[in-house]
Structure formats: C-alpha cells, structure tokens
Amino acid sequence: LRLATILACIGAANALAPPSRFFKSLPSALYALGVSVVVGLTFAPQLIADVARVKSARRLRGRPDRGIRGTVGSALPVFDNALRRSITLAAAMDSRGYGRTVDVAPRTRRITAGLILGGLIGVLIGVYGLLDGDSAPGLSMGLLVVGVLSSLLGMQVAGRRVVRSRYRPDPWTGIEWLVSGSGFGAAVAFVATSLSDPAVLSPSVTPLMWPTLPLIPVLGLLIALLPTWVAPPTPQPMKAELPELVGSQP
C-alpha cells in the first residue's frame, strides 16, 4: 500500500504538470541542474538503443554478446557513441548561450555555498527530528524552518550569477498558487497530526486493531484532492494537419 501510494503521488504530479514545465519553473540557481536532468533523461533511451544495436551487430558477426566478454566488447562502441553525442550537444548548447555566468567575488561565492550547505544540513536534522519522535518537536521544527530559509536565501544569491532569457515564460496565476497551496496544506495537516497524536497515523498491528479515522488528516486529503477540479488541463502537443489537395481523387 505504501508503494502504491508513492506511485499514485508521482502519477498525480505528472498529470498536473509535465516535467518540462517543472524544470522551466526552477529557480535560476537550480537551472543548470534541471538542464542536466533533462539531458540525462533524453539520452537514457538512446543509450539503451545503442546497447541493443551493438549486441545485435556482435551477434551477427559471430562474437559473444553475453557474459563478461560480451559486456567488455560492447562497452567501447557504446561509450564512443555517447561521447560523440555529448560533444555535439555541448557545442550546440554553447552556441545557444547555455552555461553563461557572471563573475562573482570569491567572498560572495563562499557565503552562498555556506548558506545552501548549512540550510540543507538544517533541513536534514529538522526532518530527522520530526520523524524520530524522541526529539523536541519545537527544536526540530525551528531547525527545519531555518534550514529552508537559509537554502532559499542561498539560492536567491546564487541565481544572480546565472544569466538566461526566457522564451515563452510560463505564467504563474492564482490557479498555480492554489495547486501548490493544496500540497502544502496536506503536508501541514499530516505533520500536525504526527506531532499531536503520532499513534493515529501508525495504528497498532500487535494486537491487531481497526484504525481510527482522524479529522485533520482527512481534511488534508480533501485539500490534496482540490487540483483534480481546479487545475487546468495539461497542454497537448499540436498535431500538424495535411492540407487537402484540390481535385484529388480517393
């Protein structure tokens, strides 16, 4: 059931917004990371196709395509094709202005790295404290809030050295705020329940007992279902229509 819930959440996120729109909405500090993820996801099917093509070619030539010898013999041409493809893509991206940055003072770079690293450490400690149950909830929540604010401040400073233009910027209207707020509201409802009454979310199985239906998590689930009705439909790619020839016969 937990695995099914995780898959359902991921599927719901993909249904609300495609990955390309998600990466377009990333802050400037994470723009390079988003581009790397998109490139990696794009090259993964091509890499699998290269492996299948090389193995088929080795099989036709009477060479082993399985085991250690087959793997070693297939690795070199696959890596060669991947390297050639990456060099071509890097040249094309460089000609289009990807990777352009602004010179920043070393002090500012160190402060930015300290803010982001310290914020991530605070977030990890805060989340661990909230999930542990034995730690002080107030201290864990304080570390989590400070870590999130520090990370946001660091990303804001780091984003100033990234220079990029936006082609067809993605509008962010009230519907987008409502969808984002519904996810945040559901998370707050479950965190509040875990702090006030953690036994409700983890019912006892020894002895086996029927779980109760708490009010706050149910409200959180209802809030999480709001995007089902308020979210706009995902734009579909336009299909090109062939022009109808005048005087053509079937």
Side-chain angles (χ1 to χ4, degrees):
L1 288 177
R2 292 180 179 178
L3 179 60
T5 303
I6 294 174
L7 294 178
C9 293
I10 296 176
N14 290 332
L16 289 176
S20 58
R21 187 179 182 188
F22 170 73
F23 288 119
K24 188 184 295 186
S25 303
L26 285 177
S28 300
L30 301 178
Y31 176 68
L33 178 61
V35 173
S36 302
V37 173
V38 170
V39 171
L41 294 177
T42 304
F43 275 3
Q46 298 178 358
L47 185 63
I48 297 175
D50 286 344
V51 172
R53 179 177 55 82
V54 171
K55 286 187 175 182
S56 177
R58 290 180 62 85
R59 192 182 308 112
L60 291 175
R61 292 178 173 84
R63 298 178 180 178
D65 59 328
R66 297 181 180 180
I68 299 178
R69 294 184 59 185
T71 303
V72 173
S74 304
L76 184 59
V78 170
F79 288 154
D80 180 71
N81 292 333
L83 182 60
R84 293 176 182 272
R85 192 180 297 113
S86 62
I87 292 176
T88 304
L89 179 63
M93 294 178 66
D94 183 71
S95 64
R96 288 167 174 80
Y98 284 90
R100 297 291 190 268
T101 57
V102 179
D103 293 334
V104 182
R107 179 184 178 185
T108 304
R109 191 177 297 112
R110 288 193 294 267
I111 293 175
T112 302
L115 286 174
I116 295 178
L117 183 60
L120 293 178
I121 293 175
V123 170
L124 290 177
I125 297 176
V127 171
Y128 178 80
L130 290 176
L131 298 178
D132 184 22
D134 296 334
S135 305
L139 179 60
S140 301
M141 182 60 70
L143 287 175
L144 179 60
V145 172
V146 172
V148 170
L149 293 178
S150 178
S151 300
L152 292 177
L153 181 60
M155 287 191 293
Q156 179 67 24
V157 177
R160 297 177 182 176
R161 60 187 300 266
V162 179
V163 180
R164 64 182 179 123
S165 59
R166 291 181 178 269
Y167 177 67
R168 293 181 180 177
D170 195 5
W172 191 270
T173 59
I175 299 298
E176 283 76 12
W177 282 111
L178 183 59
V179 172
S180 302
S182 63
F184 181 75
V188 169
F190 278 89
V191 170
T193 305
S194 64
L195 294 178
S196 60
D197 192 3
V200 174
L201 300 179
S202 300
S204 176
V205 294
T206 52
L208 187 63
M209 59 180 298
W210 189 263
T212 59
L213 187 63
L215 179 60
I216 297 180
V218 171
L219 292 177
L221 289 176
L222 294 178
I223 293 174
L225 291 175
L226 284 177
T228 306
W229 294 279
V230 301
T234 304
Q236 301 295 328
M238 299 180 61
K239 296 182 179 179
E241 297 182 358
L242 296 177
E244 184 178 357
L245 298 178
V246 180
S248 60
Q249 298 180 357

